[in-house]
């Protein structure tokens, strides 16, 4: 237990909760170094100030905070009853915390900390196979239904044993055994191994038949047998002959599986010879070595009771389905439910972001219905601009694009689109809405305050599940309280147990260790059913295990990679929770949690390692959910739905939805409107339910406009009642209306002219109409060109010119007003900024094809950057100018940023675009007017006010403008953007490739090096095991350690010295008496850990481990206050120095010399991050005879919902 305390003490928290000094700053990425200068305090208000009703009061409190001196920014988190305050300095943060102690509305103010992602790239463990299966705990709690033979559908499919017909008519496979593992064996020649009813084994070509189906049977000795579709086993003899005519299992029917590097397998017989597919079509087992003919590809097949997707990489998803059998039984669950029909559910992935453009994720992304994409405006007023798919709290903007890969990988396991013939399959095929909440940077580290902000956002926007593959560091009562208050909103919180291979019962890992009834803590397993070598575990603190070693999933840029970690195990649980909840949407959060925990498959390797002793099982979880009544929707549907968009903005819809009520409303309580995709999948609901009143027509008045998800194509009206709601589908009883966007162009053409002469034949012309494209074609689909008569009447259509999404260069951002923008004689756009200042931020967007010519460039190297598309420029380029960069097709961004340091002389460049003019050829066309009218259009809607008239007779070729010229040139608007646009996505680092990530040795993991720490010398330890006091049994304790240098070694463990340690801690910690300080051990670190320490300090450096409990009669928040102070001691030099002074005073009072220090300004004391231990954790760490029968420390072992009272 105390070994890892020693580790954490010596490292002083490798997760960045330690103060940043000269020693650590070089190890931090630049972005994280800059963010360390933002000193934050998390303010926790009284629990009465939560929910919508208290939002105004919290805003009032936040405004009061912003008026305090040295407060840079304060952000309210009303759903959690909290606020995050950014301070000008660490000292200002400490002063604010002290001031808030006297504010009656504040429960506690807590310093911010840092956490990181939990993942690895490879799992080196290869543990032995494990015998499977025991009875499920949940199944024992309810009576089993009838035998399969008693049910016609089971009997028809050949199922045996106990079967589970669901109440809604869906079938589950047999309860008495795991599902079959069926495969086809493809040879090197492209043929398949075939075993006919006569026992002959050969090769077959063409479509797979029953003879090519094999079931794999596993034996305790690690070998396998292959049984064909006729119930006969494949066998070989000493001569190498192979037949499939045996019904008995002897040694001749056993084969050893040998895995090959190319992904194939080979089968070695009992006689030591390999199975081979010969060129002539025969199958033999007489080869000594395994070459190409001895290699087979195993193609998974759906067995009875299974449904397999058609995704090409599904065979790599061993966690879903594996011939070893230690998977989550996903195909058996998918036979029942995939999420394709139903109301859907939102899952918040709190991580490094998600590549929301990924081919296997884009259709599953959550869409903020109140945000208009790309308009640079915070439409819904939640503080984030263009937060369409979530938000980025690490970079303070609305774009949660993954610049690492971790979050995208987790998202693919949760809800990669299943059965779409692309990539992988998530646990939930359809229906999940992935909300991307980025708080970890590209290095995989992030701040606790940003995690709390992400939780608040998730609660505010309706997420039911939060997936959390991160952690580390000490505990934080602020984060714990945020999770507790999210529980009140009904949110399930899945959390990775950690990758330190340690016991979480002894050394906790947060947030997984928070003892809250909405948390599921997840360990990791291998494909052989063993605990992964890196996985944390805990018989009292980790609930379940899930596949986490070698997990294949999505990564940015339409990629796929294999990663390992409890980070990869956790999304399996999150996806299963979504699948269960969509299957039975009436379940409460706690019921879903209990179902997942109670339906595990117990494994010997997990006994004593996790509370349940088991691996999650999707089939059994749905079986448990089956026990709840399925939805019972009305039988009658509304007769019609009508909607016509009245919002002229592109992509935004407004108006009134009209529903024609059902002819019979006897079973209807309300109507509801849903958006559905073109494929017929149900998306988000629109507005609130409309009560059925008996009126023939009902209307849904939209409160403002809405922006549908990208794939929404129609609105469907459904009927509902308390027992259920009919599904919203395009093909079904519910009526639908197509979504037709009434959009109007925002810009018109810049110019139009006629080029050519009248045809020699009277009454005909021949030439071209040249159109100057609009400054921004985002709202234009075509330019429609009509004949126009001399009297001004529009004639017939001549033709149309398609828009190409052209965009003139336009600047947005707070620094645009500082940049000189002009037009050169040759039509190039000139941008010049010489000189520049500190903390500038601007984005220039333009369409290609074209080029950017750099004419002058001198900036501070590395820190002040101009990013052109994907090329980053920094430093001095004056010796190699002009320099030309190409702009590809489509829109590109040029982003300028500077920091607050030494500026350079500035820069200038020119943008030249192609395609700004469009041409419509008019060949030998009869004259039907005196000229043309060029009108911009979006679909069928035309902006007539911006039309341009071109006269072709009289003064030929001269265009005469009627109405607006369509220019609206944004280049001339060189003032700072009024939209307050946040940092552009182009500023973020591009996603790491797998090779780059591997070369970086996974810096975000910050794994602890256990090797050298094991040699630390214990010089004193408490030698008695004490019973828990009443205070500890009720409230728990806080554990931590401090390192002090310069003590005389012979005096560091004297009783008087230990008294001084105790007195100094009691004086520095709030509400703590000396009796509440429990010293655990005193250690001397190995000399190699102190090589950078001054000689006079090196011999006297000790680590003191301790536990703290509050005084008798303590308030419920007192332990949190102690933890908060210890966080401050671990993150603030000044606070640690104050403790050092108190320690010196206590030593002097005991007649002992104070510590010697090489730096007069430092006390030489460093604290580790604290760990708050619940009463249950304390009781779990003590021997049974030391645990009193007190309600506060009673252990509920094996409980589906472990809690302490």
């Amino acid at each position: 237990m105390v070994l890892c305390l020693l580790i954490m003490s010596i490292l002083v928290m490798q997760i960045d909760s330690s103060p940043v000094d000269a020693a650590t700053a070089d190890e931090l990425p630049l972005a994280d170094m800059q963010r360390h200068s933002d000193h934050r305090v998390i303010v926790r208000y009284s629990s009465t100030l939560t929910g919508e009703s208290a939002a105004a009061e919290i805003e009032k409190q936040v405004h009061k905070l912003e008026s305090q001196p040295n407060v840079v920014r304060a952000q309210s988190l009303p759903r959690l009853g909290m606020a995050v305050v950014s301070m000008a300095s660490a000292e200002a943060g400490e002063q604010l915390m002290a001031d808030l102690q006297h504010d009656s509305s504040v429960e506690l103010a807590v310093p911010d900390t840092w956490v990181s992602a939990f993942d690895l790239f490879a799992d080196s463990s290869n543990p032995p196979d494990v015998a499977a299966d025991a009875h499920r705990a949940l199944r024992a709690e309810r009576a089993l239904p009838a035998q399969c033979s008693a049910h016609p559908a089971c009997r028809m499919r050949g199922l045996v044993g106990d079967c589970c017909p669901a109440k809604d008519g869906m079938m589950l496979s047999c309860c008495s055994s795991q599902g079959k593992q069926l495969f086809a064996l493809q040879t090197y020649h492209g043929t398949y191994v075939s075993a006919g009813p006569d026992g002959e084994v050969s090769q077959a070509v063409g479509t797979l038949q029953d003879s090519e189906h094999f079931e794999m049977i596993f034996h305790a000795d690690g070998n396998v047998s292959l049984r064909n579709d006729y119930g006969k086993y494949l066998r070989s003899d000493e001569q190498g002959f192979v037949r499939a005519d045996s019904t008995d299992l002897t040694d001749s029917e056993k084969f050893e599986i040998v895995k090959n590097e190319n992904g194939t397998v080979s089968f070695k017989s009992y006689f030591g010879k390999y199975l081979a597919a010969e060129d002539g079509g025969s199958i033999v087992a007489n080869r000594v070595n395994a070459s190409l003919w001895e290699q087979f590809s195993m193609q998974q097949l759906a067995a009875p009771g299974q449904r397999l997707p058609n995704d090409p990489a599904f065979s790599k998803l061993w966690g879903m389905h594996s011939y070893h059998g230690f998977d989550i039984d996903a195909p058996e669950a998918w036979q029942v439910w995939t999420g394709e029909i139903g109301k859907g559910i939102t899952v918040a992935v709190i991580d490094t972001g998600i590549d929301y453009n990924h081919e296997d994720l884009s259709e599953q992304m959550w869409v903020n219905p109140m945000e208009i994409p790309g308009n640079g405006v915070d439409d819904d007023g939640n503080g984030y601009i263009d937060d369409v798919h979530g938000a980025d709290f690490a970079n303070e903007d609305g774009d949660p694009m993954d610049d690492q890969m971790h979050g995208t990988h987790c998202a693919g396991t949760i809800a990669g689109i299943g059965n779409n013939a692309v990539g992988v399959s998530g646990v939930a095929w359809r229906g999940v809405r992935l909300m991307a909440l980025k708080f970890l940077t590209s290095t995989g580290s992030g701040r606790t305050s940003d995690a709390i902000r992400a939780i608040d956002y998730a609660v505010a926007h309706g997420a039911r599940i939060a997936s959390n593959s991160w952690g580390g560091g000490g505990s934080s009562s602020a984060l714990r309280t945020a999770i507790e208050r999210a529980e009140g909103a009904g949110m399930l919180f899945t959390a990775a147990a950690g990758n330190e291979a340690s016991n979480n019962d002894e050394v906790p890992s947060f947030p997984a260790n928070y003892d809250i009834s909405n948390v599921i803590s997840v360990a990791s397993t291998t494909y052989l059913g063993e605990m992964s070598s890196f996985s944390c575990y805990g018989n009292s603190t980790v609930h379940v295990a899930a596949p986490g070693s070698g997990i294949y999933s999505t990564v940015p840029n339409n990629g796929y990679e294999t990663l390992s970690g409890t980070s990869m195990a956790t999304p399996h649980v999150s996806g299963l929770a979504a699948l269960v909840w969509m299957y039975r949407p009436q379940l409460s959060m706690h019921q879903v949690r209990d179902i997942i925990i109670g339906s595990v498959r117990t494994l010997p390797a997990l006994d004593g390692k996790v509370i349940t002793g088991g691996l999650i099982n999707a089939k059994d979880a749905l079986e448990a959910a089956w026990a709840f009544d399925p939805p019972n929707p009305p039988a009658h549907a509304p007769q019609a739905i009508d909607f016509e968009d009245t919002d002229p903005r592109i992509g935004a819809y407004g108006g009134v939805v009209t529903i024609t009520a059902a002819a019979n409303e006897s079973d209807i309580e309300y109507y509801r409107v849903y958006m559905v995709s073109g494929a017929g999948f149900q998306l988000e609901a629109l507005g609130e339910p409309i009560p059925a009143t008996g009126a023939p027509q009902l209307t849904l008045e939209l409160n403002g406009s809405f922006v549908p998800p990208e794939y929404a194509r129609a609105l469907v009206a459904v009927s509902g009642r308390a027992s259920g709601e009919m599904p919203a589908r395009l093909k079904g009883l519910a009526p639908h209306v197509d979504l037709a966007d009434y959009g109007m162009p925002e810009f018109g053409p810049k110019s139009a002219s006629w080029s050519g002469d009248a045809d020699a034949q009277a009454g005909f012309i021949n030439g071209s109409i040249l159109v100057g494209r609009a400054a921004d074609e985002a709202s234009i689909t075509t330019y429609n060109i009509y004949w126009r008569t001399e009297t001004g009447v529009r004639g017939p259509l001549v033709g149309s010119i398609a828009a190409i999404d052209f965009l003139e260069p336009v600047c947005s951002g707070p620094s645009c007003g500082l940049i000189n923008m002009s037009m050169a004689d040759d039509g190039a756009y000139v941008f010049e900024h010489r000189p520049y200042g500190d903390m500038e931020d601007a984005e220039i967007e333009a369409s290609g094809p074209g080029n950017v010519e750099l004419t002058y460039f001198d900036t501070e190297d590395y820190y002040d950057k101009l990013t052109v598309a994907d090329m980053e420029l920094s430093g001095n380029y004056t010796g190699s100018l002009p320099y030309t960069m190409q702009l590809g097709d489509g829109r590109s961004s040029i982003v300028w940023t500077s920091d607050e340091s030494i500026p350079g002389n500035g820069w200038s460049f020119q943008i030249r675009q192609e395609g700004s003019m469009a041409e419509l050829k008019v060949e030998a066309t009869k004259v039907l007017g005196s000229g043309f009218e060029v009108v911009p259009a979006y679909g069928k809607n035309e902006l007539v006010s911006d039309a341009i008239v071109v006269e072709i007779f009289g003064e030929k070729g001269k265009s005469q403008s009627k109405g607006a010229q369509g220019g609206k040139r944004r280049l001339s608007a060189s003032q700072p953007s009024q939209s307050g646009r946040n940092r552009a996505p182009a500023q973020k680092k591009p996603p790491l490739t797998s090779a780059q990530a591997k070369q970086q040795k996974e810096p975000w993991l910050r794994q602890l090096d256990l090797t050298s720490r094991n040699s630390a010398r214990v010089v004193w330890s408490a030698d008695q095991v004490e019973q828990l006091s009443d205070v500890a049994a009720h409230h728990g304790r806080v554990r931590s350690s401090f390192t002090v240098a310069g003590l005389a070694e012979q005096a560091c463990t004297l009783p008087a010295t230990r008294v001084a340690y105790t007195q100094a801690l009691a004086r520095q910690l709030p509400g703590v008496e000396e009796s509440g300080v429990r010293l655990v051990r005193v250690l001397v670190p190995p000399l190699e850990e102190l090589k950078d320490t001054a000689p006079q300090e090196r011999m006297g450096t000790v680590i003191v481990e301790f536990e703290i409990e509050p005084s008798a009669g303590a308030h419920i928040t007192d332990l949190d206050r102690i933890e908060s102070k210890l966080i401050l001691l671990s993150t603030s030099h000044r606070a640690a120095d104050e403790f050092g002074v108190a320690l010196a005073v206590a030593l002097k009072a005991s007649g002992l010399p104070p510590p010697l220090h090489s730096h007069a300004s430092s006390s030489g004391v460093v604290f580790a991050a604290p760990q708050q231990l619940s009463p249950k954790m304390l009781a779990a760490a003590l021997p049974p005879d030391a645990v009193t029968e007190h309600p506060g420390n009673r252990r509920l072992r094996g409980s589906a919902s472990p809690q302490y009272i």
Side-chain angles (χ1 to χ4, degrees):
M1 173 178 70
V2 289
L3 172 62
C4 286
L5 270 175
L6 164 65
I7 296 167
M8 298 178 74
S9 301
I10 296 173
L11 294 185
V12 198
M13 280 311 301
Q14 292 194 24
I15 312 297
D16 302 62
S17 58
S18 57
V20 178
D21 52 24
T24 60
D26 290 342
E27 302 171 3
L28 288 171
L30 174 64
D32 288 349
M33 288 171 59
Q34 293 170 338
R35 287 170 53 74
H36 267 286
S37 63
D38 178 13
H39 305 277
R40 296 186 189 173
V41 175
I42 306 167
V43 181
R44 186 173 106 199
Y45 291 102
S46 168
S47 57
T48 59
L49 295 181
T50 58
E52 294 294 339
S53 61
E57 180 61 28
I58 291 179
E59 287 290 346
K60 179 180 175 182
Q61 296 292 335
V62 167
H63 286 313
K64 187 165 70 172
L65 282 174
E66 289 181 324
S67 67
Q68 298 289 321
N70 297 313
V71 172
V72 177
R73 178 190 179 212
Q75 181 182 6
S76 66
L77 307 177
R79 282 85 184 171
L80 303 180
M82 305 173 83
V84 176
V85 187
S86 298
M87 305 301 298
S89 65
E91 292 75 12
E94 293 177 42
Q95 185 59 51
L96 178 67
M97 291 172 59
D99 294 342
L100 291 177
Q101 290 183 15
H102 309 292
D103 190 330
S104 60
S105 66
V106 175
E107 276 188 356
L108 191 62
V110 183
D112 200 5
T113 54
W114 286 70
V115 295
S116 62
F118 284 143
D119 72 335
L120 294 157
F121 270 92
D123 175 33
S124 59
S125 64
N126 189 18
D129 200 356
V130 177
D133 217 1
H135 291 293
R136 279 44 156 201
L138 187 69
R139 188 177 299 127
E141 297 178 7
R142 63 176 189 270
L144 292 172
Q147 290 287 308
C148 285
S149 57
H151 195 282
C154 293
R155 191 167 61 245
M156 177 186 69
R157 294 170 57 189
L159 300 180
V160 296
D162 295 320
C163 215
C164 302
K167 296 179 182 180
D168 50 3
M170 295 183 176
M171 294 299 304
L172 288 172
S173 57
C174 291
C175 304
S176 58
S177 64
Q178 297 299 306
K180 290 183 178 181
Q181 309 293 330
L182 290 188
F183 296 88
L185 301 178
Q186 188 173 29
T187 72
Y188 169 74
H189 312 292
T191 59
Y192 291 93
V193 177
S194 176
D198 58 357
E200 181 181 356
V201 179
S202 59
Q203 299 176 47
V205 297
T207 305
L208 285 173
Q209 305 296 325
D210 291 345
S211 298
E212 286 82 67
H213 295 181
F214 292 91
E215 179 185 359
M216 192 166 290
I217 309 298
F218 289 86
H219 302 290
D221 58 6
N223 292 317
V224 301
S225 294
L226 299 174
R227 182 165 57 191
N228 70 3
D229 203 55
Y230 307 101
K232 303 297 180 64
Y233 292 97
L234 213 68
R235 66 176 179 86
S236 67
D237 58 23
E238 290 188 76
Q239 287 72 41
F241 292 106
V242 177
R243 295 277 296 171
D245 55 6
S246 174
T247 57
D248 299 324
L249 283 175
T250 66
D251 289 339
S252 296
E253 286 78 31
K254 293 182 179 180
F255 295 87
E256 176 189 352
I257 292 184
V258 179
K259 289 190 173 184
N260 303 311
E261 292 184 358
N262 60 2
T264 62
V265 296
S266 297
F267 294 90
K268 183 186 287 188
S269 74
Y270 171 75
F271 305 102
K273 303 296 178 64
Y274 286 97
L275 201 68
E278 294 189 319
D279 199 20
S282 60
I283 301 292
V284 296
N286 58 7
R287 304 303 172 89
V288 177
N289 299 311
S291 59
L292 295 177
W293 287 8
E294 291 73 42
Q295 295 179 2
F296 299 88
S297 297
M298 299 182 64
Q299 294 187 7
Q300 293 179 322
L301 303 173
Q306 295 178 344
R307 182 183 179 190
L308 299 185
N310 61 9
D311 302 290
F314 176 70
S315 61
K316 297 182 180 181
L317 308 185
W318 73 263
M320 307 288 182
H321 186 57
S322 166
Y323 61 81
H324 286 280
F326 300 106
D327 52 65
I328 69 169
D329 278 351
E332 289 80 6
W334 293 333
Q335 176 70 13
V336 177
W337 185 253
T338 61
E340 291 174 289
I341 303 172
K343 296 177 66 173
I345 193 168
T346 300
V347 178
V349 182
I350 302 178
D351 212 285
T352 62
I354 299 176
D355 180 359
Y356 43 76
N357 295 321
H358 197 286
E359 61 183 0
D360 229 3
L361 297 173
S362 59
E363 292 184 37
Q364 300 280 64
M365 293 306 300
W366 173 78
V367 175
N368 185 347
M370 303 308 294
E371 196 72 23
I372 299 175
N375 68 347
V377 176
D378 180 14
D379 301 288
D380 58 1
N382 67 354
Y384 300 96
I385 294 171
D386 290 341
D387 55 322
V388 178
H389 300 299
D392 181 350
F393 306 96
N395 294 297
E396 300 285 355
D397 62 45
D399 180 14
M401 176 59 74
D402 189 357
D403 55 5
Q404 208 269 340
M405 74 166 65
H406 189 269
T408 302
H409 195 278
C410 293
T413 299
I414 296 170
I417 304 171
N419 210 40
N420 66 337
V422 175
V424 298
S425 301
V427 179
W429 285 7
R430 292 278 185 175
V432 169
R433 296 288 162 258
L434 294 166
M435 180 187 290
L437 301 181
K438 176 178 174 61
F439 88 103
L440 299 174
T441 68
S442 59
T443 66
S445 63
R447 304 182 76 145
T448 298
S449 58
D450 288 337
I452 292 172
R453 292 200 292 160
I455 294 170
D456 180 76
Y457 186 103
V459 171
H461 292 83
R464 306 293 299 278
I465 301 164
S467 189
N468 302 272
S469 294
W470 50 272
S475 58
S476 168
S477 64
L479 178 58
R480 188 200 70 232
T481 301
I483 299 171
E484 288 172 344
R485 293 178 178 176
E487 177 194 12
M491 176 186 287
L492 183 67
F493 193 93
T494 62
N499 291 347
E500 284 73 43
S502 55
N503 188 345
N504 285 4
D505 290 353
E506 298 177 354
V507 183
S509 176
F510 299 98
N513 264 73
Y514 290 126
D515 195 17
I516 310 170
S517 59
N518 65 330
V519 173
I520 301 180
S521 176
V522 187
S524 170
T525 59
T526 71
Y527 70 96
L528 292 178
E530 294 280 3
M531 181 77 72
S532 299
S533 61
F534 52 78
S535 179
C536 289
Y537 54 92
N539 194 36
S540 297
T541 52
V542 180
H543 300 102
V544 298
S549 291
I551 302 302
Y552 191 74
S553 187
T554 50
V555 295
N557 298 323
N558 288 336
Y560 301 86
E561 286 284 349
T562 299
L563 301 179
S564 295
T566 52
S567 280
M568 285 62 251
T570 302
H572 284 88
V573 180
S574 304
L576 178 55
L579 196 68
V580 168
W581 223 335
M582 288 189 292
Y583 181 53
R584 291 291 187 264
Q586 75 272 28
L587 293 174
S588 71
M589 177 270 293
H590 290 110
Q591 287 173 323
V592 172
R593 180 179 184 268
D594 288 348
I595 284 171
I596 292 172
I597 290 176
S599 61
V600 299
R601 171 192 179 189
T602 56
L603 296 176
L606 301 179
D607 185 32
K609 296 294 187 181
V610 298
I611 293 171
T612 58
L615 180 73
I616 63 167
N617 189 279
K619 175 179 76 73
D620 286 359
L622 289 189
E623 180 183 320
W626 158 83
F628 296 85
D629 288 332
N632 183 22
H636 302 95
Q639 299 181 66
I641 179 175
D642 185 59
F643 173 72
E644 186 173 344
D645 179 25
T646 58
D647 192 322
R649 294 174 297 173
I650 307 300
Y653 292 75
V656 177
V657 180
T658 303
I659 298 173
T660 302
N664 183 343
E665 286 188 325
S666 59
D667 58 350
I668 299 174
E669 295 176 4
Y670 65 86
Y671 298 98
R672 178 168 255 165
V673 177
Y674 284 96
M675 294 174 274
V676 294
S677 70
F681 294 111
Q682 180 173 308
L683 304 175
E684 283 77 16
L686 192 62
E688 298 297 323
I690 307 168
T693 62
Q697 285 195 327
L698 305 103
T699 58
L700 174 63
E701 299 278 352
L702 298 179
N703 184 18
S705 296
F706 69 96
V707 178
E710 180 180 357
Y711 299 96
R713 295 294 181 268
L715 299 181
V716 172
V718 301
S719 56
R721 58 183 176 182
S723 61
E725 191 176 89
M726 65 170 47
R729 309 179 200 170
L730 288 182
K731 296 180 180 179
L733 292 176
H736 74 273
V737 59
D738 291 337
L739 277 172
D741 190 1
Y742 172 67
M744 290 294 290
E746 297 181 18
F747 298 91
K750 292 176 62 178
S751 63
S753 61
W754 167 254
S755 175
D757 294 316
D759 191 88
Q761 182 182 353
F764 286 82
I765 57 170
N766 195 56
S768 297
I769 301 171
L770 303 178
V771 177
R773 295 188 180 275
D776 184 349
E777 288 188 334
S779 59
I780 299 174
T781 55
T782 58
Y783 300 93
N784 295 333
I785 302 175
Y786 299 90
W787 282 104
R788 187 178 177 89
T789 68
E790 293 181 357
T791 59
V793 177
R794 177 185 290 184
L797 180 71
V798 179
S800 297
I801 297 174
I804 59 171
D805 200 24
F806 180 79
L807 176 66
E808 265 186 4
V810 56
C811 186
S812 61
S815 302
C816 287
L818 306 174
I819 300 172
N820 294 320
M821 296 177 273
S822 60
M823 181 78 77
D825 293 340
D826 63 354
Y829 299 89
V830 180
F831 294 83
E832 185 175 23
H833 193 24
R834 300 172 60 182
Y836 63 86
D838 292 344
M839 302 303 293
E840 294 187 354
D841 187 350
E843 177 191 5
I844 299 164
E845 191 176 9
S847 63
N851 65 68
V852 177
E853 184 181 87
L854 195 67
T855 54
Y856 184 85
F857 197 86
D858 178 42
T859 69
E860 183 186 14
D861 194 17
Y862 188 74
Y863 296 101
D864 301 340
K865 304 172 185 178
L866 189 71
T867 304
V868 181
D870 57 354
M871 181 177 294
E872 189 175 273
L873 306 173
S874 185
N876 187 298
Y877 283 73
T878 54
S880 56
L881 298 178
Y883 178 70
T884 301
M885 297 158 282
Q886 297 300 315
L887 290 178
D889 293 343
R891 299 193 175 197
S892 299
S893 291
I894 302 172
V895 178
W896 162 245
T897 57
S898 67
D899 71 349
E900 48 182 352
S901 58
I902 304 171
N905 291 319
W907 45 261
S908 62
F909 61 84
Q910 299 182 5
I911 299 177
R912 291 179 174 83
Q913 294 178 291
E914 301 174 18
S916 61
M917 297 297 296
E919 179 183 14
L920 178 68
K921 292 185 177 180
V922 181
E923 297 178 343
T925 300
K926 185 176 181 179
V927 176
L928 299 176
S930 61
F932 302 108
E933 181 180 356
V934 183
V935 188
Y938 178 80
K940 298 179 180 179
N941 304 319
E942 296 181 336
L943 185 63
V944 179
S945 62
D946 275 23
I948 294 180
V949 175
V950 180
E951 298 290 351
I952 60 173
F953 298 110
E955 295 184 62
K956 258 188 188 177
K958 183 177 180 180
S959 68
Q960 300 175 1
S961 172
K962 302 285 180 72
Q965 279 287 330
K968 297 185 181 178
R969 297 170 59 86
R970 297 188 292 174
L971 180 67
S972 60
S974 59
Q975 299 303 314
S977 170
Q978 298 302 310
S979 66
R981 186 167 185 168
N982 285 318
R983 184 175 302 147
Q987 282 186 270
K988 298 184 183 180
K989 295 181 180 179
L992 295 176
T993 65
S994 58
Q996 290 171 330
K998 291 174 183 176
Q999 290 171 1
Q1000 291 193 6
K1001 305 297 184 186
E1002 301 83 58
W1004 52 88
L1005 246 169
R1006 310 185 191 281
Q1007 288 196 12
L1008 305 182
D1009 179 10
L1010 303 180
T1011 307
S1012 61
R1013 276 69 176 179
N1014 287 333
S1015 58
R1017 183 161 48 95
V1018 179
V1019 294
W1020 177 87
S1021 65
D1023 56 2
Q1024 61 182 19
V1025 178
E1026 59 176 350
Q1027 290 190 339
L1028 291 183
S1029 67
D1030 285 345
V1031 174
H1034 275 291
H1035 298 283
R1037 286 178 178 156
V1038 181
R1039 175 193 296 167
S1040 188
S1041 65
F1042 64 84
T1043 303
V1044 59
L1047 283 175
E1049 184 172 352
Q1050 65 274 16
C1052 68
T1053 61
L1054 293 175
T1057 309
R1058 300 200 304 273
V1059 170
Y1061 298 151
T1062 300
Q1063 291 175 342
L1065 287 167
R1067 290 170 185 171
Q1068 287 292 303
L1069 298 175
V1072 175
E1073 299 174 353
E1074 291 184 24
S1075 61
V1077 179
R1078 178 177 178 266
L1079 299 183
V1080 180
R1081 294 196 307 180
V1082 179
L1083 307 101
V1084 175
L1087 290 179
E1088 58 265 27
E1089 294 296 329
L1090 306 174
K1091 59 182 182 295
D1092 297 326
T1093 308
Q1096 67 268 32
E1097 298 176 8
R1098 188 176 305 161
M1099 299 308 297
T1101 298
V1102 295
I1103 301 163
V1104 180
E1105 297 174 345
F1106 59 88
E1107 292 180 354
I1108 304 291
E1109 61 185 53
S1111 304
H1115 187 267
I1116 191 171
T1117 62
D1118 283 358
L1119 201 65
D1120 291 347
R1121 295 185 186 278
I1122 295 169
E1123 177 198 75
S1124 179
K1125 179 65 175 182
L1126 286 168
I1127 292 174
L1128 187 63
L1129 286 166
S1130 70
T1131 57
S1132 166
H1133 286 305
R1134 191 175 76 167
D1137 288 347
E1138 289 177 358
F1139 173 83
V1141 171
L1143 178 60
V1145 170
L1147 288 169
K1148 185 176 181 181
S1150 300
L1152 298 169
L1156 300 173
H1157 310 301
S1158 59
H1159 303 289
S1161 61
S1162 172
S1163 66
V1165 177
V1166 179
F1167 274 79
Q1171 299 170 334
Q1172 187 171 157
L1173 310 178
S1174 69
K1176 188 181 74 172
M1177 285 188 60
L1178 290 172
L1182 292 176
D1185 57 358
V1187 182
T1188 60
E1189 282 303 315
H1190 188 285
N1193 56 40
R1194 186 177 299 128
R1195 297 173 65 188
L1196 307 179
R1197 295 180 57 100
S1199 167
S1201 183
Q1203 301 176 10
Y1204 68 91
I1205 301 172

